[in-house]
């Protein structure tokens, strides 16, 4: 396969390999944090004092536990799908799915982190402090994980690109998901 017209001078196969490896490496980092949170949450009902947690606190616990479970499943799914679809020339599909699972997992993780932090503040301090904590943690997750990168993505889309094909042409040829846009390179 001839090199594609891009700044890295890599073939389409090399680009797909790199993208998949970058996604899987990111999931390795994220899944470790999710699993630590999930393991901690699994022990909470057996901790002394859990019987004293009120109904609102229990709801927060269930939301946090469910969010951690969904995040864990979402971050592990691309690895399992890669194994199941191994050597079937499905890397573009795997990359699109992994990206979607990663975003979904990040949302679930943000919910879990916000809920578990709020539960602790709710139990130790007050309802008002818990509400402020939930808002601040959720806001920071939204900013750091979604808003800031989306603003950067928007800015990059307005800037002239570095010599490859027209980004809109590449987006259409990639099945409309943008997986081969220069911003994914």
């Amino acid at each position: 396969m001839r090199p594609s017209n891009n700044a890295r001078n890599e073939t389409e196969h090399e680009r797909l390999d790199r993208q998949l490896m970058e996604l899987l490496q990111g999931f390795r980092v994220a899944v470790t944090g999710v699993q630590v949170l999930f393991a901690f949450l699994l022990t909470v009902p057996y901790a002394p004092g859990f019987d004293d947690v009120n109904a609102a606190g229990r709801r927060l616990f269930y939301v946090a536990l469910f969010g951690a479970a969904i995040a864990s499943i979402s971050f592990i799914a691309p690895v399992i799908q890669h194994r199941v679809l191994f050597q079937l020339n499905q890397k573009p599909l795997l990359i699109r799915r992994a990206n979607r699972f990663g975003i979904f997992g990040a949302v679930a993780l943000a919910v879990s982190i916000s809920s578990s932090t709020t539960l602790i503040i709710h139990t130790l301090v007050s309802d008002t402090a818990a509400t402020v904590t939930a808002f601040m943690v959720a806001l920071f997750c939204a900013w750091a994980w979604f808003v800031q990168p989306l603003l950067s993505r928007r800015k990059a889309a307005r800037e002239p690109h570095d010599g490859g094909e027209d980004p809109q042409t590449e987006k259409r040829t990639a099945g409309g998901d943008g997986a081969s846009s220069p911003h994914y390179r």
Side-chain angles (χ1 to χ4, degrees):
M1 185 173 239
R2 68 180 175 77
S4 64
N5 190 8
N6 63 43
R8 291 180 184 264
N9 197 26
E10 58 191 356
T11 66
E12 181 72 9
H13 287 294
E14 289 169 336
R15 185 180 62 78
L16 291 171
D17 286 344
R18 179 182 49 77
Q19 287 178 341
L20 186 59
M21 291 293 86
E22 287 173 356
L23 278 167
L24 294 178
Q25 183 59 31
F27 289 144
R28 283 186 193 103
V29 171
V31 81
T32 302
V34 170
Q35 288 176 333
V36 168
L37 176 61
F38 192 38
F40 165 74
L41 289 169
L42 289 173
T43 66
V44 168
Y46 304 104
F50 186 73
D51 290 337
D52 298 334
V53 174
N54 65 18
R58 287 180 184 265
R59 282 191 296 277
L60 283 168
F61 170 75
Y62 293 128
V63 169
L65 184 66
F66 184 72
I70 295 300
S72 187
I73 291 166
S74 296
F75 290 137
I76 294 170
V79 176
I80 304 303
Q81 288 194 14
H82 181 256
R83 292 293 82 208
V84 172
L85 297 172
F86 185 66
Q87 294 186 339
L88 294 176
N89 296 318
Q90 296 295 311
K91 278 192 184 156
L93 173 67
L94 285 169
I95 291 167
R96 284 190 307 274
R97 284 184 183 170
N99 188 54
R100 290 176 185 139
F101 275 119
I103 292 169
F104 189 71
V107 170
L109 180 57
V111 167
S112 185
I113 290 172
S114 299
S115 300
S116 57
T117 305
T118 303
L119 169 61
I120 292 167
I121 299 301
H122 171 78
T123 304
L124 297 177
V125 184
S126 70
D127 289 345
T128 303
T131 302
V132 170
T133 299
F135 178 76
M136 296 303 292
V137 171
L139 183 67
F140 187 63
C141 286
W143 171 258
W145 295 350
F146 301 106
V147 175
Q148 192 175 38
L150 286 171
L151 291 173
S152 296
R153 185 178 180 93
R154 219 181 256 170
K155 181 181 177 190
R158 287 190 309 264
E159 294 174 355
H161 60 288
D162 54 6
E165 287 183 36
D166 174 55
Q168 293 304 314
T169 302
E170 288 184 355
K171 187 173 182 177
R172 283 190 298 275
T173 60
D177 67 354
S180 74
S181 127
H183 307 297
Y184 280 93
R185 293 186 180 154

